Amino acid sequence: MKLSTSLLFIIGLTNFIMAQSTFIVAHRGFSSIAPENSLSAFEAAIECGAPYFELDVQASADGVPMVIHDETLDRTSSSGHTGRVDHLTQSELRQVHVGYPSKFGAEFALEPLPTLADALALAKGRIKVCVEIKVSGIEEAIVRDIQEQGMDSEVVVFSFLPDVLRRVHELAPELPLLFLKEQASVQDLMRCSELNAGAIGVGGRTTLDAAFVQTAREAGIQIWRWTVDEPDEMWNMLAVPVHGLISNCPDKALRLIE
Ligand code: G3P
Ligand code: CA
C-alpha cells in the first residue's frame, strides 16, 4: 500500500514532536568514551551537546561529597588504590586516579577522582547535572555544594533512597527530585507524589505499559529511563515518550533525535 504524502508528513511531524520532548542524559558522563564519573567524561558530554549528565555521589570519611559510583575504589582506580571510599578523607582521595584501566587501558591513567564541587563547577552554565545520591548522611553537604554554585535550577537530585529525597526536600524544597526504581509499579508513582518528586527514574525491568504511562501523566510525574544504549530501545523510549533518556552513548541518542 502506498502512503499518501500528507500521511507521511503527519508521521514525520509526530516523530519530530515526540523526539523534541525527550532530554538526553549522559550516564556517568559520556561514559562509553571516557571513564565514568570523571571530569573527562563530563567534558565529553558537554562537547557532544547533551543537555544533562548524570553522576553518582558517595561520601569521604570526613563527609565530603565525592563523585564515584561504587562504595569502593577497586573497579575504576588507576593509581593502585583499593578499599572503601568512606574510609579515606577528601585529601587522601585527592591522590586517587580513576582512569578505569580495565576498560580504557592507560589513556586516562591520571584522571582525578572529582569532588561534587569540582563537577558542578565544570558544568555550571554549560550543562545540567543529575546528582544521584548513593548514601544517606551527606544531604546537607550536597545541598550546600549546589547552593554555593548557585545551581538550584541546573540540577535534578536523584536517589533510590526515599529518606534521602525527604531530607533534601526539607533542606531545599526548590530542588527538583527524581525517585529511582529498577522495577517501578503504579504504586511507585504514588510514592513520588508523597516524596515531592516530580519524576520517576525507571530501570529496564519496568514495563512502560499504557496504564503506567497514563497514571504518570495524570499525576504529573515525568518518566526518565536508564540505561538505554541500543538504537532500537532508544526509539521505543522516544515513542513512549519518556521525558529523560539516560545513556552511556548520548551521541547515538542525539543522532537519532536529529
Ligand atoms: O540514573 C540512574 C542510574 O544511574 C542508576 O543506576 O547503578 O547506574 O547508578 P546506577
Ligand atoms: Ca547513577
Side-chain angles (χ1 to χ4, degrees):
M1 192 182 72
K2 216 171 151 205
L3 292 173
S4 71
T5 312
S6 51
L7 184 56
L8 284 173
F9 175 76
I10 289 167
I11 292 171
L13 185 65
T14 309
N15 290 346
F16 175 75
I17 291 167
M18 285 182 332
Q20 290 299 307
S21 65
T22 297
F23 292 108
I24 305 305
V25 182
H27 183 239
R28 310 182 192 176
F30 192 163
S31 58
S32 57
I33 66 161
E36 63 180 55
N37 284 314
S38 69
L39 297 177
S40 292
F42 302 148
E43 195 63 50
I46 295 169
E47 280 166 21
C48 90
Y52 290 83
F53 69 74
E54 185 256 8
L55 55 75
D56 299 292
V57 183
Q58 301 275 355
S60 68
D62 49 346
V64 177
M66 304 299 302
V67 179
I68 182 166
H69 180 271
D70 298 355
E71 290 173 351
T72 71
L73 300 167
D74 306 15
R75 182 171 58 89
T76 51
S77 169
S78 49
S79 49
H81 293 85
T82 56
R84 290 186 63 86
V85 176
D86 61 5
H87 285 183
L88 298 178
T89 62
Q90 180 199 359
S91 70
E92 288 166 333
L93 290 167
R94 282 277 182 215
Q95 314 306 315
V96 175
H97 296 129
V98 288
Y100 200 167
S102 64
K103 187 166 178 187
F104 294 100
E107 190 182 349
F108 296 94
L110 297 180
E111 193 70 43
L113 194 171
T115 60
L116 176 61
D118 295 333
L120 293 176
L122 178 144
K124 186 177 167 61
R126 304 170 75 202
I127 190 168
K128 292 188 176 178
V129 184
C130 303
V131 177
E132 185 188 340
I133 307 180
K134 287 288 189 195
V135 287
S136 60
I138 47 165
E139 297 88 341
E140 281 87 347
I142 288 175
V143 167
R144 198 180 321 120
D145 280 349
I146 294 168
Q147 291 178 339
E148 278 178 9
Q149 288 289 342
M151 288 180 71
D152 306 49
S153 59
E154 297 175 58
V155 300
V156 182
V157 175
F158 285 20
S159 192
F160 285 100
L161 307 170
D163 285 346
V164 163
L165 294 177
R166 277 192 201 97
R167 184 71 188 126
V168 170
H169 186 71
E170 274 169 20
L171 293 163
E174 72 282 4
L175 290 179
L177 304 179
L178 177 146
F179 178 45
L180 286 167
K181 193 82 195 204
E182 169 64 44
Q183 188 170 8
S185 64
V186 167
Q187 285 69 35
D188 293 311
L189 293 168
M190 301 304 119
R191 198 96 189 274
C192 286
S193 305
E194 286 161 30
L195 294 169
N196 298 292
I200 189 159
V202 303
R205 287 166 61 215
T206 301
T207 308
L208 294 178
D209 57 19
F212 188 91
V213 173
Q214 184 61 22
T215 309
R217 201 165 283 156
E218 284 167 10
I221 307 285
Q222 296 171 358
I223 301 170
W224 298 44
R225 165 73 200 279
W226 91 88
T227 308
V228 186
D229 289 345
E230 295 309 320
D232 283 356
E233 205 186 356
M234 286 175 180
W235 185 244
N236 290 339
M237 292 301 116
L238 294 176
V240 170
V242 294
H243 186 86
L245 193 150
I246 303 172
S247 177
N248 298 311
C249 311
D251 56 333
K252 274 195 213 171
L254 289 164
R255 272 203 302 275
L256 206 73
I257 286 179
E258 275 164 25

